[in-house]
């Protein structure tokens, strides 16, 4: 069974309305799981909530459900490079917990925690984006409990993790939990946005495009 994790209602609703069958839902500690079939695959949708704490809790609940063996995290993120445009897709090859810092004890190695995406899942997502002729980028996703809106936030992140191509708030936790449960994980497939105004304007379009991409991706795995 494939677990699909997103932070917001708008994303989950776009996925749910495209499912072939919705079997049932259940709620554990405020985390709602929606079971059904999509493109002939058994799937369970999970709304994580915003931020790494909620994402870690929800993903742990998801991983403890019977027969879940793969997880894909989908959401909206802030782009960090000049060649990204609004509604581009970003597909991770790895995720960094950019705000993890034990350097006073561990030195430079204590800055950031890294989790690699599952290569086969990432490649099938790339193929889906190509087939749909959606602009996409592949690279490192920086995850931190911060909605980046200040120049100093950007400068700090890029000084520490110059290869980051977008920033968001859940993927680092989902990558950590999936790794501990030995899950195949594709974390993250995200849409690029540039500021809070564009976020509010484009979130529904981004969610719809995400759902179409996941639908195509499910046909390939």
């Amino acid at each position: 069974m494939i677990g699909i994790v997103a932070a917001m209602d708008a994303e989950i609703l776009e996925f749910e309305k495209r499912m072939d069958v919705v079997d049932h839902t259940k709620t554990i500690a405020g985390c709602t799981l929606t079971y059904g079939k999509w493109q002939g695959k058994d799937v369970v949708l999970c709304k994580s909530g915003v931020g790494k704490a909620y994402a870690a809790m929800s993903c742990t609940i998801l991983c403890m459900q019977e027969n879940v063996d793969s997880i894909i995290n989908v959401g909206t993120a802030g782009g960090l490079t000049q060649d990204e445009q609004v509604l581009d897709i970003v597909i991770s090859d790895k995720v960094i917990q950019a705000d993890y810092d034990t350097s006073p004890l561990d030195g430079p190695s204590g800055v950031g925690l890294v989790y690699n995406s599952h290569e086969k899942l990432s490649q099938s997502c790339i193929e889906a984006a190509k087939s749909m002729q959606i602009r996409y980028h592949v690279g490192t996703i920086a995850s931190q409990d911060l909605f980046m809106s200040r120049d100093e936030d950007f400068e700090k992140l890029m000084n520490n993790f110059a290869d980051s191509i977008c920033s968001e708030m859940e993927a680092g936790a989902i990558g950590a939990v999936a790794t501990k449960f030995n899950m195949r994980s594709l974390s993250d497939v995200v849409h690029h946005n540039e500021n809070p105004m564009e976020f509010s304007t484009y979130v529904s379009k981004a969610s719809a495009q995400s759902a179409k991409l996941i639908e195509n991706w499910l046909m390939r795995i």
Side-chain angles (χ1 to χ4, degrees), residues 24-28 30-35 44-45 61 64-66:
H24 65 282
T25 65
K26 64 180 178 181
T27 301
I28 303 171
C31 173
T32 299
L33 304 173
T34 302
Y35 291 81
V44 51
L45 308 181
I61 291 169
M64 295 181 72
Q65 303 308 300
E66 188 174 357

Side-chain angles (χ1 to χ4, degrees), residues 69-167:
D69 58 13
S70 303
I71 292 175
I72 181 167
N73 178 212
V74 186
T76 302
L80 299 173
T81 65
Q82 291 296 320
D83 62 338
E84 291 171 281
Q85 299 177 12
V86 173
L87 291 182
D88 284 1
I89 292 285
V90 177
I91 302 168
S92 71
D93 54 17
K94 63 182 177 182
V95 174
I96 294 175
Q97 283 199 34
D99 54 358
Y100 183 92
D101 188 353
T102 61
S103 58
L105 296 175
D106 302 320
S109 65
V111 179
L113 293 175
V114 179
Y115 304 97
N116 293 317
S117 300
H118 190 276
E119 185 175 351
K120 184 177 179 180
L121 297 183
S122 295
Q123 185 57 44
S124 59
C125 198
I126 291 169
E127 292 168 2
K130 286 180 177 178
S131 73
M132 296 173 66
Q133 298 184 327
I134 298 174
R135 279 176 53 94
Y136 72 92
H137 311 266
V138 180
T140 299
I141 292 176
S143 188
Q144 51 188 337
D145 278 325
L146 173 69
F147 193 101
M148 291 194 18
S149 59
R150 300 168 299 185
D151 290 342
E152 55 262 38
D153 297 332
F154 174 80
E155 291 166 3
K156 180 179 178 181
L157 177 60
M158 300 312 290
N159 283 338
N160 287 330
F161 306 106
D163 60 345
S164 300
I165 61 174
C166 73
S167 175

Side-chain angles (χ1 to χ4, degrees), residues 48 56 62 139 182 184:
S48 69
L62 178 62
N182 294 316
R184 301 193 311 162

